[in-house]
Amino acid sequence: MLPERLTTTEPALAAALVAYVDGVRTHPALPAGLLDACGARIAWLLAGRATGPTAPAAHRDGAASDEPTADEPTSDETAAACLAFAEQFVLDAQALDERTVGRVRDAVGDAGYAVLALGVGLMEGLVRARLAWGLPPLPPPADAPEVPR
């Protein structure tokens, strides 16, 4: 998740950063993979709403449509609540309201809400750093073939 440019620029912080990012991403207060899904949504929002694996499912085929809403249909209320929080946090954190925060707290509790808030801020910062350095908003999957430079 951390750009190599960041870890090589600040080697003294690299181990701590890796441990922190991994600790937040895998914290037991949130369902496995949920923070990564939020990171993908953040990448989609900040990278110009491109299609592809970082786009919400309804937008992966390149169909022209508006951005997804926080209430898009889903069978998983926890994911829907957390994705809505991530979207609002990135677009206008000052506009986060009691309804959005309440949905998250109802779904994952106070500890989950705290981890989500930290994680979403962390994911947003990492996506913005990657974009500023001309990197893809998210690293390629671990099993992706290596691309020559």
Side-chain angles (χ1 to χ4, degrees), residues 73-78:
T74 179
S75 60
D76 186 350
E77 179 56 28
T78 298

Side-chain angles (χ1 to χ4, degrees), residues 114-129:
V115 172
L116 182 70
L118 287 170
V120 166
L122 179 63
M123 291 293 190
E124 179 184 12
L126 291 172
V127 168
R128 287 184 187 277

Side-chain angles (χ1 to χ4, degrees), residues 1 3 39 42-43 45-47 86-93 120-138:
M1 173 51 77
I42 291 165
L45 289 167
L46 296 178
E87 287 178 17
Q88 189 60 51
F89 185 96
V90 170
L91 296 174
D92 184 2
V120 166
L122 179 63
M123 291 293 190
E124 179 184 12
L126 291 172
V127 168
R128 287 184 187 277
R130 293 181 68 84
L131 290 170
W133 287 328
L135 299 170
L138 291 176

Side-chain angles (χ1 to χ4, degrees), residues 81-82 84-86 88-89 93 95-110 112-114 116-117:
C82 292
F85 177 89
Q88 189 60 51
F89 185 96
L96 278 166
D97 58 17
E98 287 298 318
R99 178 178 176 267
T100 304
V101 171
R103 283 177 67 199
V104 171
R105 291 175 76 179
D106 288 346
V108 296
D110 290 338
Y113 170 70
L116 182 70

Side-chain angles (χ1 to χ4, degrees), residues 53-78:
T54 62
H59 300 269
R60 287 189 189 134
D61 62 3
S65 61
D66 293 331
E67 68 186 60
T69 66
D71 296 320
E72 64 186 5
T74 179
S75 60
D76 186 350
E77 179 56 28
T78 298

